[in-house]
């Protein structure tokens, strides 16, 4: 495989220097581009590695390669074999038509490549022994660790200060390592492996890219399994693991969606039997509610909230408690299932037994880190020069000092490292920036709250009865849309800020950089996505006060209240619109539209720079030129991030929206093919990276799963009316039914106790004079001795709510840990196969050693027979005589 590199327009001298020092070193071959490059100002360098370099680097990277030894994989027997056979026949139509996708009965024994043991490997076809993905990885590893310090001797001109300044500028530009430093400094604008060929067209040769396009990246095969092994073969283990994880997650959403639909249908079937909603809709009860805002709002009938009460039952019923428990266990099962699937893939992809540093290769320092280290070393060097300037120096040591100065960029950077003191300003900037961004998110949520309050008050003054009757729906819908737009915009801003904050920290390795970036981006995007939902779930309606003593924001805006049926319905609306909006706009439209727009802009730029015969050139474009117009690969962080945020929507507030798994499933079916098409057709081929697992994302998933148990416990306990209903049913109901529950949850208020300037402007809006209005709370009535104080019922319900949270949380956590303990991380058959491989490997080396011993014995026997004719004349008596065996007297 050839790694393709393109560099920007440079003077001829610089261009030749850089080509020699990057491409024509360490036995890497340099090939000029075929034909004449017709893109103005753009040059391409093609690099390949010969066989001996591939072998050396494969041994250096400890790549496991298949040996000649074949062994049979243990197959299931009896009933399990019949079940597997039936499942294979059933799933045969949804299997991709890819070679090697079927379960294999034999496997080649794998062993880390060694030049001394090449006889163990099947080298009959050296061209295909290392596939294109492995070759590109090897070449890129060489380029990453190749220094470009050789060029400094040709860059400097003159003596003395002029040479030192040229040398210093070269050090700063080149840093210590080759390709990463050159890419970071803009000497080269891109470095990427080539795609195998075109993916569509009648005369296109069949290749892995075309096969992936047909069997994986097409929307017409959305119902089929993914050819994960082919994905791994073409893109590498890290990308293969992402798509494998996404496939497992999508499959696990199927049972969750089915149960969620059943829970929703149960709510639909029992809505006419729900006594509290029937009482709220019954106009005979004639319950008059207190105004929702000061002055402009008037009294209103509870029966006007009938539709909201009936809709709330669809999501606020006993089945949602069961569904919350189910989803907590589902999350634990999903994590265990993925760990087992991951072990199977590690076994199939020959990644078992590797340590993390071996899997990812030697993690080289980043170019930015090397530049900072070089700056620090040069500062130390200048300080030491200032000290030596006052000390007399012999003339004979001047040449030695000049050599030391010339080698400072190499020697000092090996000793100097960045400490926490060097990074302390960056850490402070990170802390202040993250706190500020979170404060901005809270401020925006507060602004939306003020918008809701002021809009509700404005709509209440409208003369149209239909507008006034739909105030809650209008305010809720518009506020959620505003939240959605703000969330999408801030997501993009926070992503850029998180990357900038990570860059100023100057992490040493790419792995450290990626983990720090993921943590910051996830923290900011988590707060951004879930803060509006947290407000509705846990804060709205909790701190409103009571009629005559309301709580105000900025002494002007009265805190908004929940509907008589509770805030769960509004939470459902908030969650569904934000979730669906993010999936439709951010995850799909942005992923389709932005890459195509960038590709079109690059095409227009190249067309402006190209010669007049552009159309003729377009037909004859080389592979490296076609790939250059594609979008650069930006990593898997955005792909994982959107799925983790979706996982939060599915698990964190699932008690309020049982249909969340269904919408996530529908989105992921499209997402898999969308991402696949993007990787195959829209992106440059990324450099393959080996990995054993999904890294820090697994820990984030576990954290979200644990947090989901706590949040759902509080949603059921405090947001829904599940606990108040249980308390009323078992403590206050006179006939053991829910009749009278609505009246029990409402307190009374004497309208004469309104504060000055807060009473309704039109107290006769309902057609009669109101003396007592009702509001949702547990307080003493106005005729009580302690009027408007919190009643005993409130403390009874609060105690029951806290008790439920404790019991629910501990019970579900225990059940989740039990599932984690019961399901082993490594499947039994995989552990047996790994053990079998170790035994076979030991036997193979034992037979090899025995063969060597037999061969050595044969050679010794031949040598002994050759010596016998020399001794056939008969030994003389003496030291070698049989009379003195062994020559001993």
């Amino acid at each position: 495989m050839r790694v393709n590199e393109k560099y920007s327009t440079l003077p001829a001298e610089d261009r030749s220097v850089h080509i020699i020092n990057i491409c024509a070193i360490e036995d890497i071959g340099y090939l000029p581009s075929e034909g004449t490059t017709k893109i103005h100002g753009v040059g391409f360098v093609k690099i390949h590695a010969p066989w001996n370099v591939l072998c050396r680097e494969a041994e250096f990277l400890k790549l496991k390669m298949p040996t000649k030894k074949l062994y049979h994989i243990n197959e299931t027997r009896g009933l399990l074999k019949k079940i597997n056979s039936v499942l294979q026949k059933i799933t045969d139509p949804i299997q991709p038509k890819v070679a090697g996708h079927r379960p294999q009965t034999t496997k080649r024994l794998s062993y880390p490549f060694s030049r001394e043991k090449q006889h163990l490997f099947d080298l009959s076809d050296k061209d295909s022994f290392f596939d294109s993905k492995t070759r590109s990885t090897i070449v890129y590893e060489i380029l990453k660790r190749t220094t470009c310090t050789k060029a400094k001797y040709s860059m400097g001109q003159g003596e003395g200060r002029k040479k030192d300044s040229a040398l210093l500028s070269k050090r700063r530009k080149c840093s210590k390592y080759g390709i990463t430093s050159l890419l970071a400094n803009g000497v080269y604008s891109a470095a990427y492996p080539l795609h195998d060929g075109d993916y569509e067209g009648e005369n296109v040769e069949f290749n892995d890219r075309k096969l992936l396009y047909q069997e994986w990246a097409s929307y017409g095969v959305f119902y089929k399994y993914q050819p994960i092994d082919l994905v791994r073969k073409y893109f590498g283990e890290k990308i293969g693991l992402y798509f494998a994880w996404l496939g497992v997650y999508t499959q696990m959403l199927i049972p969750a969606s089915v149960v969620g639909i059943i829970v929703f249908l149960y709510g639909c079937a029992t809505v006419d039997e729900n006594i509290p909603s029937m009482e709220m809709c019954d106009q005979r009860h004639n319950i008059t509610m207190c105004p929702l805002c000061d002055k402009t709002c008037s009294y209103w009938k509870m029966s006007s909230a009938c539709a909201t009460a009936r809709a709330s039952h669809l999501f606020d019923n006993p089945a949602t408690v069961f569904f919350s428990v189910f989803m907590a266990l589902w999350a634990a099962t999903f994590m265990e299932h993925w760990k087992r699937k991951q072990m199977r893939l590690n076994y199939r992809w020959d990644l078992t037994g590797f340590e993390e540093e071996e899997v990812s290769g030697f993690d080289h320092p980043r170019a930015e880190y090397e530049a900072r280290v070089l700056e620090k070393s040069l500062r130390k060097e200048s300080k030491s020069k200032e000290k030596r300037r006052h000390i007399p120096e012999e003339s004979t040591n001047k040449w030695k000092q000049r050599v030391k100065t010339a080698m400072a960029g190499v020697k000092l950077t090996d000793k100097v490292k960045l400490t926490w003191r060097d990074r302390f300003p960056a850490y402070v900037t990170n802390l202040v920036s993250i706190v500020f961004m979170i404060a901005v998110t809270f401020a925006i949520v507060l602004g939306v709250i003020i918008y809701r309050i002021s809009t509700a008050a404005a709509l209440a003054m409208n003369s149209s009865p239909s507008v006034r009757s739909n105030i809650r729906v209008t305010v809720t819908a518009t506020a959620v849309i505003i939240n959605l737009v703000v969330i999408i915009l801030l997501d993009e801003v926070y992503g850029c800020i998180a990357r900038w904050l990570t860059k100023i920290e100057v992490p040493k390795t790419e792995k450290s950089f990626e983990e720090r970036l993921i943590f910051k981006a996830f923290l900011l995007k988590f707060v951004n996505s879930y803060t509006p939902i947290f407000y509705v779930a846990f804060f709205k309606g909790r701190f409103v006060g009571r009629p005559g003593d309301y709580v105000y924001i900025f002494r002007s805006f009265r805190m908004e209240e929940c509907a008589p049926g509770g805030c769960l319905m509004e939470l459902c609306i908030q969650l569904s619109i934000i979730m669906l909006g993010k999936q439709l706009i951010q995850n799909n439209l942005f992923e389709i539209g932005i890459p195509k727009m960038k590709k079109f802009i690059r095409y227009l730029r190249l067309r402006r720079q190209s010669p007049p015969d552009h159309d003729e050139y377009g037909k004859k474009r080389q592979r490296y030129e076609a790939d250059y117009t594609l979008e650069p690969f930006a990593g898997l962080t955005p792909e994982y991030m959107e799925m983790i945020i979706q996982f939060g929507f599915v698990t964190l507030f699932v008690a309020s929206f049982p249909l969340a798994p269904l919408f996530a499933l529908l989105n992921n079916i499209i997402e898999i093919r969308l991402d696949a098409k993007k990787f195959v057709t829209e992106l440059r081929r990324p450099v393959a990276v080996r990995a054993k697992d999904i890294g820090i994302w697994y820990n984030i998933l576990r954290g979200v799963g644990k947090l989901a148990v706590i949040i759902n416990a509080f949603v059921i306990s405090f947001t829904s009316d599940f606990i108040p209903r249980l308390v009323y049913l078992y403590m206050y109901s006179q006939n053991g039914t829910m009749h009278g529950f609505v009246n029990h949850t409402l307190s009374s208020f004497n309208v004469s106790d309104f504060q000055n300037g807060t009473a309704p402007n039109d107290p006769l809006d309902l057609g009669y004079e109101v003396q007592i209005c009702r509001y949702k709370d547990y307080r003493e009535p106005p005729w009580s001795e302690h009027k408007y104080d919190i009643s005993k019922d409130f403390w009874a319900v609060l105690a029951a709510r806290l008790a439920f949270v404790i019991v629910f949380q501990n019970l579900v956590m225990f059940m989740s840990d039990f599932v984690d303990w019961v399901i082993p991380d490594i499947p039994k058959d995989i552990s047996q196969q790994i053990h079998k491989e170790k035994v076979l490997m030991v036997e193979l080396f034992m037979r090899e050693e025995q063969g060597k011993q037999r061969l050595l014995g044969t050679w010794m026997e031949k040598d002994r027979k050759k010596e016998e004719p020399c001794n056939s004349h008969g030994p003389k008596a003496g030291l070698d005589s049989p009379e003195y065996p062994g020559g001993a007297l």
Side-chain angles (χ1 to χ4, degrees):
M1 179 63 196
R2 299 169 181 176
V3 175
N4 192 23
E5 296 175 337
K6 176 265 172 191
Y7 53 86
S8 308
T9 305
L10 293 170
E13 295 179 2
D14 290 354
R15 183 177 295 186
S16 61
V17 166
H18 288 296
I19 290 175
I20 292 171
N21 283 281
I22 293 175
C23 303
I25 51 179
E26 291 208 26
D27 303 324
I28 303 178
Y30 157 61
L31 297 176
S33 304
E34 294 95 335
T36 304
T37 301
K38 298 193 178 184
I39 301 178
H40 178 70
V42 176
F44 294 87
V45 182
K46 295 176 66 176
I47 303 172
H48 74 98
W51 172 256
N52 61 326
V53 176
L54 293 174
C55 293
R56 183 191 68 203
E57 296 301 317
E59 182 176 355
F60 179 65
L61 295 173
K62 301 180 181 179
L63 296 178
K64 267 191 172 183
M65 304 301 295
T67 64
K68 299 176 183 177
K69 174 66 177 177
L70 275 171
Y71 71 94
H72 288 277
I73 299 174
N74 294 336
E75 297 182 6
T76 56
R77 299 178 181 178
L79 181 61
L80 287 176
K81 185 176 181 180
K82 294 180 180 179
I83 294 174
N84 289 337
S85 178
V86 172
L87 290 176
Q88 287 180 13
K89 291 180 180 178
I90 294 174
T91 59
D92 187 67
I94 59 176
Q95 297 290 346
K97 298 177 182 178
V98 175
H101 187 76
R102 302 290 181 182
Q104 302 295 321
T105 57
T106 60
K107 186 177 184 292
R108 288 193 178 273
L109 194 63
S110 297
Y111 185 73
F113 187 82
S114 173
R115 286 173 290 179
E116 296 179 355
K117 300 184 181 298
Q118 289 192 30
H119 57 278
L120 296 177
F121 305 94
D122 184 9
L123 303 179
S124 57
D125 185 6
K126 292 184 178 181
D127 292 336
S128 62
F129 183 75
F130 295 108
D131 57 19
S132 60
K133 174 248 316 176
T134 306
R135 293 179 184 180
S136 64
T137 303
I138 287 175
V139 173
Y140 202 79
E141 283 291 328
I142 296 173
L143 294 178
K144 280 203 298 185
R145 70 166 185 268
T146 300
T147 60
C148 52
T149 51
K150 295 178 184 178
K152 63 177 176 280
Y153 299 110
S154 61
M155 295 292 291
Q157 301 291 333
E159 296 292 333
R161 186 175 298 175
K162 185 176 180 181
K163 184 174 181 179
D164 290 341
S165 62
L167 189 61
L168 178 60
S169 65
K170 181 61 190 172
R171 287 193 210 129
R172 285 176 176 168
K173 192 174 188 180
C174 226
S175 185
K176 184 176 178 180
Y177 288 102
I179 192 63
T180 53
S181 179
L182 293 170
L183 287 171
N185 288 291
V187 179
Y188 284 75
S189 65
Y192 50 91
L194 297 178
H195 279 294
D196 279 359
D198 291 326
Y199 56 87
E200 57 183 355
E202 296 180 359
N203 300 324
V204 174
E205 293 184 4
F206 198 78
N207 53 67
D208 285 344
R209 189 187 186 193
K210 185 175 182 179
L211 183 59
L212 283 171
Y213 181 76
Q214 293 175 349
E215 295 295 328
W216 182 52
S218 174
Y219 293 111
V221 294
F222 72 92
Y223 60 93
K224 289 188 177 183
Y225 286 101
Q226 299 182 84
I228 293 298
D229 291 329
L230 184 60
V231 175
R232 171 253 180 179
K233 177 186 175 185
Y234 194 78
F235 292 109
E237 286 79 4
K238 191 170 185 178
I239 294 176
L241 280 173
Y242 163 70
F243 282 102
W245 173 82
L246 184 56
V248 170
Y249 172 47
T250 304
Q251 289 176 8
M252 289 294 293
L253 282 172
I254 296 175
S257 302
V258 172
V259 177
I261 293 172
I262 293 173
V263 170
F264 178 73
L265 293 178
Y266 171 81
C268 295
T270 58
V271 67
D272 292 330
E273 302 172 3
N274 183 39
I275 295 175
S277 62
M278 291 169 61
E279 289 183 347
M280 290 180 64
C281 295
D282 191 353
Q283 296 184 2
R284 294 174 298 177
H285 284 80
N286 196 29
I287 300 177
T288 303
M289 303 297 294
C290 295
L292 296 175
C293 61
D294 295 342
K295 293 185 180 181
T296 57
C297 297
S298 186
Y299 305 106
W300 56 284
K301 291 289 189 70
M302 174 174 274
S303 57
S304 64
C306 174
T308 305
R310 289 174 62 85
S312 296
H313 179 72
L314 301 179
F315 307 100
D316 187 5
N317 55 69
T320 56
V321 179
F322 157 77
F323 191 56
S324 298
V325 177
F326 170 81
M327 287 303 295
L329 298 179
W330 173 88
T333 307
F334 163 60
M335 301 304 295
E336 291 303 310
H337 179 46
W338 167 243
K339 282 196 290 188
R340 291 168 64 85
K341 177 69 174 180
Q342 192 172 255
M343 279 305 304
R344 289 188 182 277
L345 293 177
N346 285 341
Y347 167 71
R348 269 165 42 192
W349 297 348
D350 298 323
L351 292 173
T352 55
F354 274 105
E355 297 297 329
E356 187 62 30
E357 60 270 12
E358 294 175 344
V359 174
S360 59
F362 291 89
D363 219 346
H364 306 292
R366 298 173 64 249
E368 293 83 355
Y369 178 84
E370 286 294 324
R372 282 287 298 274
V373 169
L374 183 59
E375 289 178 9
K376 184 177 179 180
S377 63
L378 291 175
R379 284 197 300 268
K380 285 190 173 183
E381 182 185 10
S382 62
K383 290 179 181 179
S384 61
K385 280 183 178 179
E386 290 292 333
K387 292 180 180 179
R388 289 196 300 268
R389 192 172 292 174
H390 304 286
I391 302 175
E393 185 179 12
E394 297 180 6
S395 59
T396 55
N397 290 333
K398 288 185 178 179
W399 181 83
K400 181 188 284 187
Q401 187 62 34
R402 181 170 294 175
V403 173
K404 287 182 179 180
T405 303
M407 298 303 294
V410 179
K411 290 185 177 180
L412 286 177
T413 53
D414 290 337
K415 299 177 182 178
V416 178
K417 294 181 180 180
L418 296 184
T419 62
W420 68 269
R421 290 184 179 87
D422 300 315
R423 294 190 173 102
F424 183 74
Y427 290 154
V428 173
T429 305
N430 269 259
L431 180 62
V432 173
S433 301
I434 290 175
V435 171
F436 175 74
M437 289 298 107
I438 294 175
V440 167
T441 304
F442 290 163
I444 291 173
V445 172
L446 180 62
V448 174
I449 294 171
I450 295 174
Y451 161 80
R452 295 163 66 109
I453 297 170
S454 57
T455 305
L459 291 176
M461 294 186 292
N462 195 290
S463 59
S464 174
S466 60
V467 172
R468 285 181 295 177
S469 61
N470 295 314
I471 289 177
R472 287 187 183 275
V473 177
T474 304
V475 170
T476 300
T478 55
V480 172
I481 292 173
I482 293 173
N483 277 326
L484 174 62
V485 173
V486 170
I487 286 171
I488 291 175
L489 293 177
L490 286 184
D491 264 357
E492 302 302 319
V493 174
Y494 287 168
C496 298
I497 291 175
R499 181 169 290 275
W500 175 73
L501 291 175
T502 309
K503 283 183 178 179
I504 64 175
E505 284 185 6
V506 197
K508 183 175 181 180
T509 62
E510 285 294 339
K511 181 181 178 182
S512 176
F513 179 88
E514 185 178 12
E515 289 181 348
R516 295 183 186 204
L517 172 62
I518 289 170
F519 175 76
K520 294 180 184 65
F522 175 75
L523 177 63
L524 292 174
K525 292 187 177 185
F526 182 90
V527 173
N528 181 42
S529 298
Y530 295 115
T531 300
I533 301 173
F534 270 93
Y535 163 72
V536 174
F538 303 121
F539 296 99
K540 183 179 179 181
R542 308 294 172 194
F543 311 102
V544 296
R546 61 170 180 81
D549 188 21
Y550 283 114
V551 176
Y552 292 87
I553 303 175
F554 306 130
R555 299 182 179 181
S556 302
F557 302 98
R558 199 179 96 186
M559 291 293 291
E560 54 182 343
E561 305 175 38
C562 290
C567 279
L568 197 69
M569 185 61 199
E570 187 172 342
L571 175 62
C572 174
I573 296 173
Q574 186 102 359
L575 181 64
S576 59
I577 292 179
I578 291 177
M579 178 181 177
L580 296 177
K582 276 180 65 67
Q583 290 183 165
L584 179 63
I585 299 173
Q586 194 173 28
N587 298 356
N588 293 326
L589 293 183
F590 280 14
E591 286 194 16
I592 296 173
I594 291 179
K596 287 188 178 297
M597 184 178 64
K598 289 182 177 179
K599 184 179 179 181
F600 182 68
I601 292 173
R602 271 197 308 274
Y603 171 77
L604 292 179
R605 287 178 180 174
L606 291 175
R607 188 172 181 177
R608 267 193 228 105
Q609 297 172 357
S610 63
D613 58 342
H614 176 81
D615 294 334
E616 181 183 353
Y617 157 70
K619 299 177 182 177
K620 300 179 181 179
R621 277 197 308 176
Q622 300 291 340
R623 178 78 266 149
Y624 50 83
E625 294 169 332
D627 286 0
Y628 177 67
T629 61
L630 300 177
E631 182 74 9
F633 175 64
L636 290 171
T637 299
E639 313 298 336
Y640 274 113
M641 187 67 71
E642 66 184 64
M643 288 295 106
I644 298 297
I645 296 296
Q646 184 204 83
F647 182 77
F649 284 123
V650 169
T651 56
L652 291 179
F653 297 94
V654 74
S656 64
F657 190 40
L659 295 180
L662 174 63
F663 289 113
L665 173 64
L666 297 177
N667 174 80
N668 287 5
I669 291 174
I670 301 173
E671 181 74 19
I672 290 175
R673 306 303 163 179
L674 181 64
D675 284 349
K677 193 167 186 176
K678 182 172 67 175
F679 272 84
V680 173
T681 66
E682 301 291 339
L683 298 180
R684 294 173 189 162
R685 188 176 182 179
V687 178
V689 177
R690 290 187 295 164
K692 286 183 68 174
D693 49 44
I694 60 176
I696 192 175
W697 295 111
Y698 181 81
N699 297 327
I700 293 176
L701 281 169
R702 285 189 66 89
V704 172
K706 298 293 184 184
L707 183 62
V709 176
I710 302 172
I711 290 179
N712 279 302
F714 278 95
V715 168
I716 296 170
S717 182
F718 286 90
T719 309
S720 75
D721 281 340
F722 178 72
I723 298 301
R725 288 173 183 172
L726 285 181
V727 171
Y728 176 79
L729 184 64
Y730 292 105
M731 291 182 62
Y732 300 103
S733 178
Q734 296 178 356
N735 53 7
T737 65
M738 294 301 296
H739 287 288
F741 170 74
V742 174
N743 186 62
H744 177 75
T745 59
L746 299 176
S747 299
S748 301
F749 177 75
N750 193 327
V751 298
S752 61
D753 293 330
F754 272 122
Q755 291 181 351
N756 294 331
T758 61
N761 294 333
D762 186 9
L764 300 177
D765 185 58
L766 293 178
Y768 56 89
E769 184 179 359
V770 178
Q771 296 182 350
I772 299 293
C773 65
R774 310 293 297 275
Y775 62 99
K776 190 172 183 179
D777 204 348
Y778 292 99
R779 291 182 180 271
E780 297 291 342
W783 51 83
S784 172
E785 182 181 353
H786 306 284
K787 66 177 184 177
Y788 306 135
D789 285 350
I790 294 174
S791 65
K792 295 180 180 178
D793 298 343
F794 172 84
W795 300 111
V797 172
L798 180 61
R801 281 174 164 166
L802 294 176
F804 176 83
V805 168
I806 295 172
V807 173
F808 181 90
Q809 176 184 332
N810 286 279
L811 178 63
V812 175
M813 287 285 191
F814 170 77
M815 295 171 69
S816 300
D817 292 340
F818 180 75
V819 170
D820 191 359
W821 174 73
V822 167
I823 302 176
D825 294 345
I826 304 176
K828 186 177 180 181
D829 60 325
I830 296 299
S831 61
Q832 291 175 349
Q833 296 297 340
I834 294 173
H835 178 71
K836 184 177 180 178
E837 278 195 351
K838 292 179 180 178
V839 173
L840 290 174
M841 189 57 66
V842 171
E843 291 178 356
L844 181 63
F845 284 118
M846 288 293 293
R847 284 199 298 269
E848 185 180 359
E849 290 298 322
Q850 291 173 0
K852 288 181 180 179
Q853 291 291 338
R854 285 196 297 268
L855 186 61
L856 184 60
T858 303
W859 287 346
M860 292 178 65
E861 183 68 23
K862 288 181 180 179
D863 291 341
R864 189 178 62 79
K865 287 181 179 180
K866 287 180 182 179
E867 292 175 359
E868 282 183 357
C870 300
N871 299 330
S872 60
H873 299 291
K876 297 180 180 179
L879 294 179
D880 294 329
S881 174
E883 298 179 7
Y884 303 99
L889 295 175

